[in-house]
Amino acid sequence: MIPYLYLLLQSLAPWDQVDKNFFPASLTLKSYQWLWTGGGYGAQPWLSALFNSLFVSAADSFCMVAIGAIVGYGLAIMEFRGKKFINGFILFQMFYPGIILLVPTFLVVRFLGLYNSVWAMIIPKMVGLWAIFMYTGFFRSINMEVIEAARLDGASELSIIFRIMLPISRSITSVIFLFVFMDRWTELMWDLIVVKDAAHQTLNVLLSTMFGPYGAYPGPLYAAGALLTFPILVLFMAFSRNFVRGVQFVLR
């Protein structure tokens, strides 16, 4: 807790007291106002970067949950040829160093004309093998009578997934969404490689590139760091009860 408390206090400290004392003598919103107005250097993309981070992280998190639930349902409930091979391949890929695929993925993104766009950050991260693995294990524990009853009522497989399976798996979905969102929110290397235009950068990338030009403004950097951690804190507080239940299932 101490590093986060220090981050918050320094973001609220007067500029002449930043990094001087752990507890500033007074508190001010000057650093946040500096970010909001661009610090007198024109329209600096702080707020745009924050919006980009929220949009990219939310889009990838929802896609990972939806695709993970669909694929996990197919692997856990449905019977088809090659099912064991796909399960084994997913498990193998989870232990495969993702950094090895960084360059081939970048070349594919550039070939498709997505370089330097928001979609270059979103599309390669839409599928999460960990989410598929978690949903597969959870759906296998659900009583088949529930699914058979829904099929007898005429429900399609997608309707069963989104109207029955996902509500039942609310706790495990909270765990998957929070971990995926946190991982995507803190992503730096991939976003730094595929986007150069400041208008499309995420807040994480903007912070990493602004330490040089804005090194004389440590207060705003602390404020931007506080903004970077705030959404994760809000999500955890909102889904903490379901998160605890989901973790209990994982540990079980």
Side-chain angles (χ1 to χ4, degrees), residues 47-226:
L47 295 180
S48 175
L50 178 62
F51 173 79
N52 289 338
S53 293
L54 288 172
F55 177 71
V56 170
S57 300
D60 275 337
S61 298
F62 280 110
C63 287
M64 283 191 186
V65 167
I67 295 174
I70 293 172
V71 178
Y73 176 86
L75 294 175
I77 305 300
M78 304 179 72
E79 295 296 334
F80 55 90
R81 184 175 299 177
K83 178 178 175 179
K84 291 184 177 179
F85 172 78
I86 295 176
N87 270 315
F89 182 76
I90 290 176
L91 186 61
F92 168 74
Q93 284 290 98
M94 290 178 63
F95 293 96
Y96 196 78
I99 192 69
I100 296 179
L101 299 177
L102 187 66
V103 173
T105 306
F106 171 78
L107 294 177
V108 171
V109 166
R110 191 177 64 176
F111 175 78
L112 295 176
L114 299 175
Y115 178 74
N116 203 27
S117 69
V118 175
W119 300 110
M121 296 184 287
I122 294 177
I123 293 178
K125 304 285 185 178
M126 290 175 61
V127 180
L129 298 178
W130 180 75
I132 295 173
F133 180 78
M134 293 293 292
Y135 273 122
T136 301
F138 184 85
F139 289 160
R140 284 174 179 168
S141 66
I142 295 178
N143 195 332
M144 281 295 299
E145 294 180 356
V146 177
I147 300 173
E148 294 298 336
R151 288 173 177 171
L152 290 175
D153 288 339
S156 64
E157 299 298 333
L158 285 177
S159 179
I160 293 174
I161 294 172
F162 291 105
R163 299 181 62 183
I164 298 177
M165 304 299 279
L166 276 180
I168 292 177
S169 60
R170 183 169 54 187
S171 58
I172 199 68
T173 298
S174 298
V175 173
I176 293 173
F177 185 87
L178 283 174
F179 273 97
V180 167
F181 187 92
M182 182 173 62
D183 181 68
R184 190 64 191 85
W185 181 264
T186 56
E187 176 66 42
L188 175 62
M189 181 178 295
W190 176 252
D191 296 346
L192 187 63
I193 291 174
V194 297
V195 172
K196 296 300 180 184
D197 188 357
H200 297 145
Q201 287 180 343
T202 59
L203 185 58
N204 223 5
V205 174
L206 187 66
L207 280 174
S208 67
T209 57
M210 291 299 184
F211 270 104
Y214 295 95
Y217 301 96
L221 289 177
Y222 280 120

Side-chain angles (χ1 to χ4, degrees), residues 4-37:
Y4 292 103
L5 179 61
Y6 183 85
L7 175 71
L8 180 61
L9 290 175
Q10 298 307 312
S11 69
L12 296 171
W15 286 9
D16 60 348
Q17 297 183 30
V18 175
D19 290 331
K20 300 293 181 60
N21 298 300
F22 191 96
F23 294 98
S26 60
L27 300 179
T28 177
L29 294 176
K30 182 179 180 180
S31 295
Y32 293 94
Q33 293 173 350
W34 193 93
L35 293 179
W36 183 270
T37 59

